[in-house]
């Protein structure tokens, strides 16, 4: 690629967690949602051609998505290097670009690739798959160790088939790692010694490849002529997809109204929805979010190592105000440690501390904190003020309102929250990778398979445990859940874990956002959205978009 560094449809009332069944096919799952989103527009018969222009509300970090956790980068690169597993319209996962079977105890998994080709016509092989998992673990990249660190050995059977032998059972081995981590090209990465600073070539085995990436301005994708896993072997309809970068949501929506872009990659706020809804040319589609807002307390800060401080801050979160005022009603308050979307897993109704700033202040005062100088900020016994910097991405929807509500609530309890807005790249460098922060606020895009995926967020030494919270009892429960084939038993274990989480409060949840996506249907049709991070641009849906 030319790389210029110019530097609701609502989810059903009872959603089950899909999983690849031990001893069976990867496409089996537990209870599915009722009719979720699948909205298309009638138009002329689709054919190949056209350039779709897409707006992004922030600059994507880089095309090397294996080493960072940036949403806008993932939206782009899921069209270039799609994950082998994706989610359907009902919220269940299925093998999109591969199939999988396991033995009875889920200690051995056989993965078989469908016909996939890089954009130069070279086949994607089982060697690429086996290499990816091994290389990622060896170089401590991203989520690799969380998902593949327990692989004892791999056996490449033929060009399309690889067997993974696990050190311990993993009921969601296929649905986990292969939903989150795309394939690396062995011929490109095997000579790369510093993958964390490597600029990826942009080669793709998906419907597109990266033609040009101009940092801070635009990314241009071209159609991969060798991608046949769509439209009866024809491949993607669109010749090109052009992503343009805007400073924020307002700028992105204005560009949509001005005709500069055809679709917004990111979900939009209630204000923007009202602004666009009256015009029939705009298609708006709403899905429930699979993620949530979260405050994470870094254990590198001595005061935040005190469970009383973590509990007190968590008691200052006015979730009703966050939903009604902060998010203008476009969210659901989250009182449990796990999203209410997953009703089976929150049936126990184990709840976070209630909003009560007076009780929060009393808790701290009873544990030795006092305001000795009368400035309204409590101090610990050694004189350290209860003052923390909250680092957050400026691209989070309605984030200024959300932060002010959080800051105001904490102040009532004698806790000072100093706000630190950051762009996506700086946030990634400071929080996700650098782990040099006090408190971070983020919106998880998707927390899936919660009975096993939470290990990547709270497991000791795991990539997404960037608050560095270590609790051996919680860790052991998470590990045990990964190898328990009985779902009912996993729910019992997860209830135990949730109670420990509430007792210790390593983080705090705020709300589940509703995700509304918008597209201009004057020139293009075939838009549909599914649960997850990418809206209309999820790979399995984007291949159906065509020019009228």
């Amino acid at each position: 690629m030319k790389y210029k560094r110019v530097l609701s449809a609502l989810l059903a009332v009872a959603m089950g967690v899909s999983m690849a069944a031990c001893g069976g096919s990867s496409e089996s799952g537990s209870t599915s949602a009722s009719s979720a989103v699948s909205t298309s527009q009638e138009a002329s018969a689709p054919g190949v051609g056209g350039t779709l222009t897409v707006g992004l509300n922030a600059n994507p970090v880089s095309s090397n998505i294996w080493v960072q956790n940036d949403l806008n980068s993932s939206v782009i690169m899921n069209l270039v290097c799609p994950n082998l597993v994706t989610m359907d319209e009902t919220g269940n996962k299925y093998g999109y670009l591969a199939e999988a079977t396991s033995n009875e105890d889920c200690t051995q998994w056989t993965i078989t690739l469908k016909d996939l080709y890089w954009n130069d016509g070279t086949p994607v092989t089982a060697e690429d798959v086996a290499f990816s998992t091994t290389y990622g673990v060896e170089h401590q990249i991203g989520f690799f160790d969380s998902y593949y660190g327990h692989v004892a050995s791999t056996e490449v059977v033929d060009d399309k088939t690889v067997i993974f032998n696990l050190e311990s059972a993993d009921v969601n081995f296929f649905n986990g790692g292969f939903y989150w981590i795309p394939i690396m090209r062995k011929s490109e990465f095997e000579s790369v010694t510093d993958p964390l600073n490597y600029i990826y070539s942009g080669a793709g085995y998906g419907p597109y490849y990266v033609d040009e990436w101009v940092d801070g301005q635009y990314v241009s994708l071209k159609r991969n002529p060798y991608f046949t896993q769509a439209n009866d072997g024809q491949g993607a309809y669109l010749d090109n997809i052009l992503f343009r970068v805007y400073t924020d949501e307002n700028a992105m929506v204005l560009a949509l109204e001005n005709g500069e872009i055809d679709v917004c990659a990111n979900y939009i706020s209630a204000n923007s929805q009202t602004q666009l809804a009256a015009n029939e040319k705009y298609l708006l589609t709403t899905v429930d979010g699979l993620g949530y807002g979260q405050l994470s307390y870094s254990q590198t800060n001595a005061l935040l190592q005190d469970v009383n401080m973590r509990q007190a801050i968590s008691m200052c979160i006015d979730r009703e105000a966050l939903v009604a005022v902060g998010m203008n009603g476009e969210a659901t308050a989250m009182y449990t440690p796990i999203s209410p979307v997953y009703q089976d897993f929150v049936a126990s109704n184990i709840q976070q501390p209630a909003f009560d700033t007076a009780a929060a202040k009393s808790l701290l005062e009873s544990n030795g904190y006092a305001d000795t100088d009368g400035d309204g900020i409590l101090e610990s016994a050694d004189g350290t003020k209860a003052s923390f910097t909250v680092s957050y991405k400026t691209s989070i929807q309605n984030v200024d309102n959300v932060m002010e509500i959080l800051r105001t609530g904490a102040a009532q309890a004698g806790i000072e929250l100093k706000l630190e807005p950051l762009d996506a790249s700086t946030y990634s460098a400071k929080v996700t990778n650098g782990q040099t922060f006090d408190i971070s606020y983020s919106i998880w895009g998707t927390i899936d398979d919660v009975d096993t995926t939470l290990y990547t967020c709270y497991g000791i030494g795991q990539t997404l445990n960037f608050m560095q919270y270590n609790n051996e009892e919680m860790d052991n429960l998470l590990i045990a859940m990964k190898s328990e084939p009985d779902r009912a038993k996993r729910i019992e274990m997860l209830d135990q874990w949730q109670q420990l989480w509430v007792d210790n409060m390593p983080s705090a949840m705020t709300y589940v956002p509703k995700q509304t996506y918008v597209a201009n249907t004057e020139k293009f049709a075939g838009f549909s959205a599914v649960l997850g991070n990418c809206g209309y641009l999820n790979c399995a849906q984007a291949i159906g978009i065509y020019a009228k």
Side-chain angles (χ1 to χ4, degrees):
M1 76 175 168
K2 307 168 192 172
Y3 203 122
K4 300 180 181 177
R5 290 299 250 177
V6 175
L7 357 210
S8 167
L10 299 175
L11 191 62
V13 172
M15 174 177 178
V17 176
S18 64
M19 59 170 280
C22 296
S25 164
S26 66
E27 297 189 23
S28 63
S30 55
T31 58
S32 65
S34 65
S35 56
V37 171
S38 182
T39 305
S40 298
Q41 304 74 47
E42 293 183 5
S44 57
V48 174
T51 297
L52 182 77
T53 305
V54 180
L56 296 169
N57 65 4
N59 187 40
V61 172
S62 81
S63 59
N64 191 350
I65 51 171
W66 295 274
V67 304
Q68 38 85 11
N69 186 34
D70 173 59
L71 176 59
N72 281 346
S73 301
S74 295
V75 170
I76 295 170
M77 293 302 293
N78 98 98
L79 298 169
V80 175
C81 296
N83 298 313
L84 301 184
V85 173
T86 192
M87 199 171 282
D88 67 15
E89 292 85 351
T90 66
N92 282 319
K93 290 180 177 178
Y94 67 97
Y96 174 47
L97 299 177
E99 296 176 349
T101 57
S102 76
N103 61 357
E104 289 299 323
D105 65 359
C106 290
T107 57
Q108 184 181 80
W109 287 83
T110 301
I111 313 297
T112 304
L113 287 170
K114 295 184 180 180
D115 292 329
L116 299 174
Y117 301 89
W118 300 96
N119 56 276
D120 62 0
T122 305
V124 179
T125 68
E127 286 283 355
D128 289 317
V129 177
F131 168 81
S132 299
T133 57
T134 303
Y135 180 87
V137 172
E138 289 178 348
H139 288 80
Q140 300 180 327
I141 299 174
F143 315 143
F144 280 88
D145 188 64
S146 298
Y147 287 113
Y148 302 123
H150 61 324
V151 174
S153 64
T154 58
E155 304 171 33
V156 176
V157 178
D158 54 41
D159 284 348
K160 291 185 179 180
T161 308
V162 57
I163 295 174
F164 290 89
N165 298 298
L166 311 185
E167 294 174 348
S168 57
D170 188 344
V171 296
N172 277 324
F173 176 73
F174 182 58
N175 276 354
F178 292 100
Y179 176 76
W180 284 109
I181 305 174
I183 302 306
M184 308 178 90
R185 192 173 192 177
K186 180 179 179 180
S187 62
E188 178 169 352
F189 277 94
E190 62 184 344
S191 61
V192 175
T193 57
D194 183 15
L196 298 184
N197 294 300
Y198 180 67
I199 298 175
Y200 180 56
S201 68
Y205 57 82
Y208 297 92
Y209 64 94
V210 179
D211 179 53
E212 195 169 12
W213 189 301
V214 181
D215 206 36
Q217 296 183 39
Y218 65 87
V219 177
S220 175
L221 304 186
K222 281 193 173 181
R223 182 175 180 270
N224 177 3
Y226 301 101
F227 182 77
T228 60
Q229 299 299 319
N231 304 316
D232 297 323
Q234 183 177 210
Y237 292 128
L238 298 169
D239 272 334
N240 302 278
I241 299 181
L242 177 64
F243 290 87
R244 291 197 176 279
V245 178
Y246 295 89
T247 55
D248 54 28
E249 178 185 309
N250 292 332
M252 180 178 67
V253 170
L254 180 61
L256 181 73
E257 292 183 300
N258 291 339
E260 297 172 20
I261 61 176
D262 305 301
V263 62
C264 295
N266 313 97
Y267 61 88
I268 60 174
S269 65
N271 289 339
S272 294
Q273 293 172 43
T274 301
Q275 182 178 331
L276 299 170
N279 193 324
E280 63 181 13
K281 71 180 180 182
Y282 296 122
L283 171 69
L284 286 90
T285 306
T286 299
V287 297
D288 267 353
L290 294 180
Y292 44 76
Q294 175 175 302
L295 283 173
S296 298
Y297 307 126
S298 174
Q299 295 307 288
T300 62
N301 183 299
L303 285 192
L304 292 172
Q305 293 173 8
D306 180 1
V307 65
N308 296 301
M309 180 59 70
R310 299 196 301 271
Q311 291 276 0
I313 297 173
S314 301
M315 294 164 71
C316 296
I317 300 174
D318 187 348
R319 292 173 178 83
E320 295 299 321
L322 288 176
V323 169
V325 179
M327 293 295 291
N328 295 311
E330 288 297 303
T332 300
M334 187 168 166
Y335 298 103
T336 52
I338 290 172
S339 170
V341 166
Y342 299 105
Q343 291 204 351
D344 285 358
F345 295 123
V346 296
S348 56
N349 199 33
I350 297 168
Q351 296 204 357
Q352 303 177 71
F355 172 58
D356 190 336
T357 57
K361 187 172 185 178
S362 177
L363 173 65
L364 291 178
E365 289 176 337
S366 64
N367 283 277
Y369 292 84
D371 179 11
T372 60
D373 58 8
D375 67 352
I377 304 173
L378 295 175
E379 302 150 18
S380 64
D382 66 1
T384 304
K385 287 188 176 295
S387 177
F388 309 97
T389 298
V390 182
S391 305
Y392 59 93
K393 290 182 186 179
T394 55
S395 58
I396 295 175
Q397 188 183 106
N398 295 350
V399 71
D400 291 336
N401 293 341
V402 169
M403 287 296 107
E404 185 57 28
I405 291 169
L406 292 173
R407 188 196 65 77
T408 301
Q412 293 172 4
I415 302 167
E416 180 183 45
L417 298 183
K418 296 179 288 188
L419 307 182
E420 184 181 44
L422 303 171
D423 61 47
S425 296
T426 306
Y427 180 89
S428 180
K430 181 169 187 173
V431 177
T432 309
N433 296 326
Q435 302 179 357
T436 54
F437 65 96
D438 292 336
I439 300 174
S440 72
Y441 184 74
S442 60
I443 301 290
W444 290 120
T446 295
I447 297 294
D448 58 319
D449 302 327
V450 291
D451 49 343
T452 55
T453 296
L454 285 175
Y455 179 68
T456 67
C457 303
Y458 294 97
I460 296 174
Q462 297 305 300
T463 305
L464 292 182
N465 185 2
F466 44 78
M467 61 261 195
Q468 301 180 55
Y469 181 75
N470 299 329
N471 182 305
E472 190 170 343
E473 187 176 4
M474 293 172 68
D475 191 70
N476 288 338
L477 277 169
L478 291 170
I479 292 172
M481 276 185 273
K482 288 166 65 71
S483 59
E484 175 53 65
D486 188 319
R487 188 168 184 270
K489 291 181 180 178
R490 291 204 304 278
I491 290 176
E492 291 179 7
M493 297 163 74
L494 191 58
D495 284 347
Q496 296 176 49
W497 183 88
Q498 288 186 79
Q499 188 58 59
L500 287 170
W501 185 92
V502 168
D503 292 342
N504 291 279
M505 294 305 295
S507 55
M509 313 316 183
T510 56
Y511 57 80
V512 177
K514 297 186 191 310
Q515 299 176 338
T516 297
Y517 299 93
V518 60
N520 185 336
T521 60
E522 287 186 311
K523 295 186 295 181
F524 296 91
F527 294 103
S528 64
V530 294
L531 301 163
N533 294 338
C534 299
Y536 296 135
L537 296 171
N538 185 63
C539 184
Q541 279 61 50
I543 47 92
I545 301 173
Y546 61 94
K548 290 184 177 179

